């Protein structure tokens, strides 16, 4: 059974990589907005791909569309949108990213913290630092996860 799991993982990785390569090759300046159709169902395996491909074709209209998804979309759409702002660190998204950086949705919170890191947002960093002193262990955990995604060293309380 152990060998079967190994082969299944290899097969799924192969298929996933094949899909990524095909999407990358198929997207061009005329059809890149079609990737927004995939924003309805979140997959951690494709967020970097979608965001990087979109960022290569970024323009003000696309950024406006993705910003609207970040503000008003589903959690899946917000999560992909946050990853886009990691690649295109436009401070127009700063407030929305800060709002979702401590979300219960771990993927959304992670992508927001990463994007905030690219923007060097100290306000969210300070909020997370203050949350380390919270009486609520879940708030402390969210703060630690924020720091992991943000990628900066931070002081730990005993």
């Amino acid at each position: 059974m152990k060998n079967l799991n190994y082969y299944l993982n290899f097969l799924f990785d192969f298929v996933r990589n094949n899909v990524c390569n095909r999407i990358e090759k198929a997207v061009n300046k005329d059809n890149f907005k079609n990737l927004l159709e995939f924003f309805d169902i979140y997959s951690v395996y494709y967020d970097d791909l979608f965001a990087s491909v979109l960022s290569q074709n970024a323009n003000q209209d696309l950024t406006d569309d993705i910003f609207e998804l970040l503000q008003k979309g589903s959690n899946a759409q917000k999560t992909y949108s946050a990853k886009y702002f990691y690649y295109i660190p436009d401070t127009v998204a700063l407030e929305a990213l800060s709002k979702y950086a401590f979300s219960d949705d771990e993927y959304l919170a992670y992508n927001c913290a990463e994007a905030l890191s690219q923007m060097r947002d100290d306000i969210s960093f300070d909020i997370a630092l203050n949350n380390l002193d919270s009486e609520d262990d879940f708030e402390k955990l969210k703060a630690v996860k924020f720091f992991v995604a943000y990628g900066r060293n931070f002081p730990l309380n005993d």
Side-chain angles (χ1 to χ4, degrees):
M1 193 61 152
K2 191 174 184 179
N3 286 337
L4 178 62
N5 285 337
Y6 170 79
Y7 289 116
L8 285 176
N9 285 337
F10 175 79
L11 178 64
F12 290 135
D13 285 344
F14 175 78
V15 170
R16 199 172 17 252
N17 289 336
N18 193 346
V19 168
C20 288
N21 290 336
R22 288 174 184 257
I23 288 173
E24 243 178 336
K25 289 177 184 173
V27 174
N28 59 47
K29 64 181 176 62
D30 298 321
N31 67 6
F32 67 91
K33 276 196 167 186
N34 291 340
L35 284 179
L36 296 178
E37 298 298 318
F38 292 103
F39 278 31
D40 290 333
I41 300 171
Y42 180 73
S43 171
V44 70
Y45 299 112
Y46 298 110
D47 68 349
D48 266 319
L49 169 70
F50 294 162
S52 68
V53 169
L54 287 171
S55 71
Q56 293 167 14
N57 296 283
N59 59 39
Q60 191 59 50
D61 288 338
L62 176 64
T63 300
D64 290 346
D65 290 345
I66 292 177
F67 178 61
E68 185 171 333
L69 289 174
L70 179 64
Q71 290 182 305
K72 300 176 183 172
S74 66
N75 272 12
Q77 292 168 326
K78 290 174 184 174
T79 305
Y80 281 121
S81 299
K83 184 60 83 168
Y84 173 83
F85 286 108
Y86 170 79
Y87 283 91
I88 304 292
D90 190 328
T91 56
V92 71
L94 199 58
E95 186 177 329
L97 291 167
S98 296
K99 177 180 176 182
Y100 300 121
F102 304 98
S103 169
D104 289 334
D105 182 323
E106 291 186 25
Y107 293 118
L108 175 57
Y110 188 91
N111 284 359
C112 288
E114 272 192 327
L116 291 166
S117 173
Q118 285 297 101
M119 296 177 200
R120 302 196 189 284
D121 177 53
D122 289 333
I123 294 171
S124 297
F125 185 88
D126 290 342
I127 290 169
L129 197 57
N130 288 334
N131 286 349
L132 287 176
D133 292 331
S134 173
E135 295 295 320
D136 184 346
D137 287 341
F138 289 109
E139 292 302 312
K140 287 181 184 179
L141 180 60
K142 286 180 186 179
V144 169
K145 288 180 178 182
F146 174 89
F147 288 123
V148 168
Y150 197 90
R152 278 177 51 178
N153 294 328
F154 58 96
L156 291 175
N157 293 340
D158 294 33

